[in-house]
């Protein structure tokens, strides 16, 4: 690797960020092409979803307010009822289409970036066409991992709701019950963030190793042990950055775009700036989680042999895909 794996285990937050920036700058052409073909559509789908969802939701709320003031049994009431039903159907159909396309581009972007990072660490020359040829071979595995993660989130949330309801019915707000609800809420958030970190790293495991689905999640859970603080910090900083960018652009939009009579060119420039900021933040997050994988591997003394990793990357372009096998990962119980 470009950096000895024994050294990578000592990377902190600054070191991981620096390493990620170095990789992106070193292979800026590849990452620019990935951004244009995969990340920009992902960001566009996300941003357009916000606008359309807001528009549809406002229409539904307006009609609900109208139907409340309309006498039942009248033709107008029936028309409003049919309209609300139709708008709800449109709203959820749009959500289904949105999540489908968002899911597809998320998997495509993840597989492309992870493969590119692995190629960087093997000093392997690649082209954008080679990166794109990898995606169909690993997409099914990523889909299985993603669906297992969704099921884990659903099960976790169902359990949290059950605990909350039982607590509210048995203890309620008496005898310090409010404090208990706050504690339950904090524990829920901690668990939710932890699951999100496991999911992010399991995507990298799925692309580079022979584990996917629940097995990849379990391996991801083992990898982040010892680097839990770093993993959580990276995830939280990305989430905070994402929320901050959205908040700032929303405030600027209210003050300048809606408050002032800006030209179409100015509005378009504002939209493009927001669009590009989201895209760069997203691809940087994918690079961070890929670098974090190698940091966790180093910390666990699971040093991946470069020649074996290179051979497995080459297999992507053969007749079949063969990810890293157990023999490719050497457990080295060395002492630092």
């Amino acid at each position: 690797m470009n950096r000895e794996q024994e050294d990578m285990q000592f990377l902190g937050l600054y070191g991981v960020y620096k390493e990620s920036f170095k990789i992106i700058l070193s292979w800026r052409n590849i990452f620019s092409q990935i951004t244009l073909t995969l990340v920009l559509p992902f960001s566009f789908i996300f941003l357009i979803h916000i606008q359309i969802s807001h528009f549809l939701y406002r229409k539904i709320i307006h009609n609900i307010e109208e139907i409340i003031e309309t006498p039942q049994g009248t033709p107008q009431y029936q028309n409003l009822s049919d309209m609300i039903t139709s708008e709800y159907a449109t709203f959820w159909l749009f959500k289904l289409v949105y999540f489908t396309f968002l899911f597809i581009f998320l998997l495509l972007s993840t597989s492309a970036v992870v493969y590119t990072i692995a190629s960087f660490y093997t000093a392997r020359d690649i082209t954008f066409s080679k990166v794109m040829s990898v995606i169909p071979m690993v997409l099914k595995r990523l889909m299985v991992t993603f669906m297992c993660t969704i099921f884990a989130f659903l099960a976790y949330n169902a359990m949290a709701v059950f605990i909350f309801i039982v607590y509210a019915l048995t203890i309620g707000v008496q005898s310090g019950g409010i404090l208990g609800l706050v504690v339950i809420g904090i524990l829920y958030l901690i668990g939710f963030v932890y699951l999100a970190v496991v999911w992010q790293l399991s995507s990298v495991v799925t692309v580079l190793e022979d584990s996917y689905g629940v097995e990849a999640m379990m391996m991801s859970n083992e990898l982040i042990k010892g680097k839990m603080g770093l993993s959580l910090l990276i995830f939280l900083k990305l989430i905070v950055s994402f929320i901050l960018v959205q908040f700032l652009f929303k405030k600027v939009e209210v003050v300048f775009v809606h408050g002032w009579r800006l030209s179409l060119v100015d509005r378009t420039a504002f939209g493009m700036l927001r669009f590009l900021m989201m895209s760069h933040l997203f691809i940087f997050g994918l690079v961070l989680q890929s670098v974090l994988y190698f940091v966790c591997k180093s910390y666990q003394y699971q040093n991946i042999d470069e020649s074996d990793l290179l051979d497995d990357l080459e297999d992507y372009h053969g007749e079949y895909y063969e990810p890293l096998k157990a023999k490719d990962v050497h457990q080295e119980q060395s002492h630092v």
Side-chain angles (χ1 to χ4, degrees):
M1 291 187 180
N2 294 342
R3 177 191 294 272
E4 291 295 331
Q5 287 202 20
E6 289 79 4
D7 294 335
M8 290 194 71
Q9 67 176 296
F10 300 112
L11 290 181
L13 181 65
Y14 173 76
V16 172
Y17 270 66
K18 182 179 178 181
E19 183 79 356
S20 300
F21 275 118
K22 184 183 75 173
I23 294 173
I24 293 174
L25 292 176
S26 298
W27 284 8
R28 62 176 65 89
N29 290 334
I30 293 293
F31 282 106
S32 295
Q33 291 172 305
I34 293 175
T35 300
L36 287 173
T37 55
L38 300 176
V39 179
L40 284 181
F42 176 90
S43 301
F44 176 78
I45 292 171
F46 175 80
L47 292 176
I48 200 67
H49 153 260
I50 296 176
Q51 300 298 324
I52 295 178
S53 294
H54 183 64
F55 172 74
L56 294 175
Y57 183 73
R58 281 191 305 173
K59 289 185 63 178
I60 293 173
I61 294 300
H62 173 74
N63 288 328
I64 289 177
E65 292 174 349
E66 289 285 332
I67 201 173
I68 291 176
E69 300 177 356
T70 302
Q72 296 186 14
T74 61
Q76 184 181 1
Y77 183 92
Q78 186 60 44
N79 290 335
L80 287 172
S81 178
D82 294 340
M83 190 178 300
I84 291 173
T85 302
S86 175
E87 288 171 348
Y88 265 120
T90 302
F91 179 81
W92 290 113
L93 179 61
F94 170 73
K95 287 287 187 180
L96 178 62
V97 173
Y98 159 71
F99 281 115
T100 299
F101 278 97
L102 193 75
F103 169 69
I104 291 173
F105 278 102
L106 174 62
L107 297 185
L108 295 176
S109 302
T110 300
S111 56
V113 171
V114 172
Y115 175 78
T116 303
I117 300 299
S119 299
F120 173 85
Y121 279 123
T122 55
R124 179 175 183 266
D125 291 330
I126 61 170
T127 61
F128 178 69
S129 60
K130 287 183 178 180
V131 173
M132 296 301 292
S133 68
V134 167
I135 292 176
M137 302 178 187
V138 75
L139 192 58
K140 182 179 179 180
R141 295 160 55 87
L142 273 174
M143 289 179 64
V144 173
T145 300
F146 186 82
M147 296 308 297
C148 289
T149 308
I150 291 297
F151 178 79
F153 274 109
L154 290 175
Y156 177 76
N157 284 299
M159 181 183 66
V161 170
F162 175 76
I163 293 174
F164 177 82
I165 292 175
V166 171
Y167 184 89
L169 292 176
T170 55
I171 299 179
V173 297
Q174 299 178 355
S175 303
I178 294 295
L179 179 61
L181 290 176
V182 172
V183 172
I184 291 175
I186 293 174
L187 292 176
Y188 167 79
L189 289 176
I190 293 174
F192 189 89
V193 171
Y194 179 79
L195 265 180
V197 172
V198 170
W199 163 58
Q200 284 193 323
L201 205 59
S202 65
S203 299
V204 184
V205 171
T206 299
V207 176
L208 297 182
E209 304 195 21
D210 62 345
S211 301
Y212 61 96
V214 175
E215 188 178 355
M217 294 178 64
M218 294 175 62
M219 183 172 292
S220 173
N221 181 59
E222 290 297 318
L223 278 176
I224 62 178
K225 290 181 178 179
K227 287 293 182 179
M228 181 69 68
L230 177 63
S231 303
L232 292 176
L233 190 57
I234 288 175
F235 176 79
L236 290 175
K237 282 182 70 68
L238 284 173
I239 294 298
V240 170
S241 299
F242 174 81
I243 295 175
L244 186 61
V245 167
Q246 291 299 310
F247 175 78
L248 291 177
F249 272 100
K250 191 66 178 177
K251 288 297 182 181
V252 172
E253 183 179 9
V254 171
V255 175
F256 293 100
V257 178
H258 297 305
W260 295 2
R261 295 184 178 277
L262 298 182
S263 65
L264 178 61
V265 175
D266 293 329
R267 290 174 180 267
T268 302
F270 175 82
M272 288 299 297
L273 179 61
R274 183 181 183 184
F275 189 43
L276 291 175
M277 285 285 292
M278 285 293 302
S279 301
H280 283 79
L281 184 60
F282 176 68
I283 198 166
F284 184 64
L286 291 177
V287 175
L288 278 176
Q289 72 185 39
S290 302
V291 173
L292 179 63
Y293 165 83
F294 287 98
V295 172
C296 292
K297 277 286 188 182
S298 176
Y299 185 83
Q300 298 287 345
Y301 302 109
Q302 299 179 15
N303 295 331
I304 301 175
D305 188 274
E306 289 184 33
S307 60
D308 289 328
L309 179 57
L310 180 59
D311 291 340
D312 290 314
L313 293 177
E314 291 290 350
D315 286 333
Y316 274 112
H317 305 292
E319 296 179 356
Y320 61 95
Y321 161 55
E322 182 182 356
L324 291 176
K325 299 297 188 292
K327 65 180 179 61
D328 300 327
V329 181
H330 305 287
Q331 305 287 343
E332 298 182 3
Q333 301 300 329
S334 59
H335 300 279
V336 180

